[in-house]
Amino acid sequence: MKKIIAILCITLLIVSCGSSKKTTTKKGKQNTVKVDRKKKKAEKETEIVVVEEEAITETPEVYANKTEEYIAIFSDIAQNEMRNYQIPASITLAQGILESGSGSGRLSVEANNHFGIKCHEWTGAKIYHDDDASQECFRKYKNAKYSFRDHSLFLTERKRYSKLFELEKDDYEGWAKGLRAAGYATDRKYPNKLISLIERYQLYRFDADVLGKESKVSDKHAVVKGDTLYSISRKYNISVTELKSLNSLDGNDLFVGQILFVKPIPKDY
């Protein structure tokens, strides 16, 4: 009995000692990151927003017809040839319009040949086309400007056209008649066709520009790039209101090639 009591006492002593021990746990050191709220806010405010830009497309020029478009494209070249070779730009343009069908004929489209110039010892590229005879040889150019240059050389290098260069530089009527007389064309109406084109489209204005002269005043004006109602009214010394009235215009929009009346129409017209 004493032995049992002794064992119980020892057991109680061990339990009481164990419960009195303090339990300690090691807390791991926490890594803290300081957030700079002001900086974060600034970054948000300076975010770059990329917006896709809409494609910018140029509005194509609008022309009254193919002839007006032809004039707009090739008038600069014709004027340059006039400066270099003394051939009226009006004549060059009128011949180009007539002989190339305003740039839509086969020779001009496929060979950049605007004046129907045949091979004649030509060593460059060629194209064959029915003309006076079947499948005649014509010159083929990489660029239409070379066709205009060959046209100038064709007229300046042949003696039969030498008298034309004695005319006034803007005498398009003399040139039109002289070309036919020198054998350039067999069509008896060829001079009248050239003159009609020159006067209808006022091609003489390109001669006047090269020579530094004022273009003769006409009852009509063909709108060119850069024209406005105001600039046209100043040129012909009329008011914008009168110009709009003469042409029944409601707004201020114009298009290249548009023909405008610039003189009052007579009452008995």
Side-chain angles (χ1 to χ4, degrees), residues 171-189:
D171 183 5
Y172 61 85
E173 290 187 10
W175 267 84
K177 294 171 183 176
L179 282 168
R180 201 258 171 187
Y184 188 95
T186 56
D187 183 358
R188 289 164 54 182
K189 295 182 179 180

Side-chain angles (χ1 to χ4, degrees), residues 14 36 116 148 167 177 188 232 241 249:
I14 293 170
D36 189 338
F148 279 76
L167 299 170
K177 294 171 183 176
R188 289 164 54 182
I232 296 170
T241 302
L249 298 176

Side-chain angles (χ1 to χ4, degrees), residues 70-106:
Y70 186 92
I71 294 166
I73 294 171
F74 297 107
S75 58
D76 285 348
I77 296 175
Q79 287 183 301
N80 190 52
E81 293 303 308
M82 181 177 179
R83 292 184 187 98
N84 292 325
Y85 295 95
Q86 314 307 311
I87 301 166
S90 58
I91 285 291
T92 301
L93 283 170
Q95 286 188 286
I97 291 166
L98 185 61
E99 296 174 30
S100 74
S102 296
S104 62
R106 178 173 178 258

Side-chain angles (χ1 to χ4, degrees), residues 5 19 25 66 76 81 102 140 164-165 168 182 189-190 201 243 252 261:
I5 293 169
S19 61
T25 56
K66 286 184 179 179
D76 285 348
E81 293 303 308
S102 296
K140 186 174 182 178
L164 295 174
F165 293 91
E168 293 293 327
K189 295 182 179 180
Y190 190 76
Y201 293 101
L243 184 60
N252 298 322
F261 289 104

Side-chain angles (χ1 to χ4, degrees), residues 28 67 69 78 81 85 102 124 133 169 184 189 197 224 267 269:
T67 301
E69 183 176 12
E81 293 303 308
Y85 295 95
S102 296
K169 291 182 174 61
Y184 188 95
K189 295 182 179 180
L197 283 168
V224 297
K267 293 180 180 178
Y269 180 76

Side-chain angles (χ1 to χ4, degrees), residues 111-181:
N112 286 314
N113 189 332
H114 288 237
F115 301 92
I117 299 177
K118 297 179 181 179
C119 288
H120 302 301
E121 303 177 1
W122 175 253
T123 58
K126 303 176 178 68
I127 186 172
Y128 294 88
H129 180 74
D130 292 345
D131 191 48
D132 296 327
S134 176
Q135 293 299 289
E136 289 190 88
C137 181
F138 290 85
R139 301 182 183 190
K140 186 174 182 178
Y141 306 94
K142 290 182 179 179
N143 189 297
K145 66 182 181 180
Y146 300 119
S147 173
F148 279 76
R149 176 53 51 87
D150 257 4
H151 170 265
S152 298
L153 294 174
F154 182 84
L155 294 178
T156 55
E157 292 176 353
R158 286 164 175 74
K159 289 183 179 179
R160 57 180 169 152
Y161 299 115
S162 59
K163 288 186 178 180
L164 295 174
F165 293 91
E166 297 173 7
L167 299 170
E168 293 293 327
K169 291 182 174 61
D170 55 356
D171 183 5
Y172 61 85
E173 290 187 10
W175 267 84
K177 294 171 183 176
L179 282 168
R180 201 258 171 187

Side-chain angles (χ1 to χ4, degrees), residues 215-228:
S215 179
K216 64 173 91 171
V217 177
S218 170
D219 292 342
K220 299 175 185 178
H221 173 84
V223 175
V224 297
K225 188 174 181 179
D227 272 349
T228 63

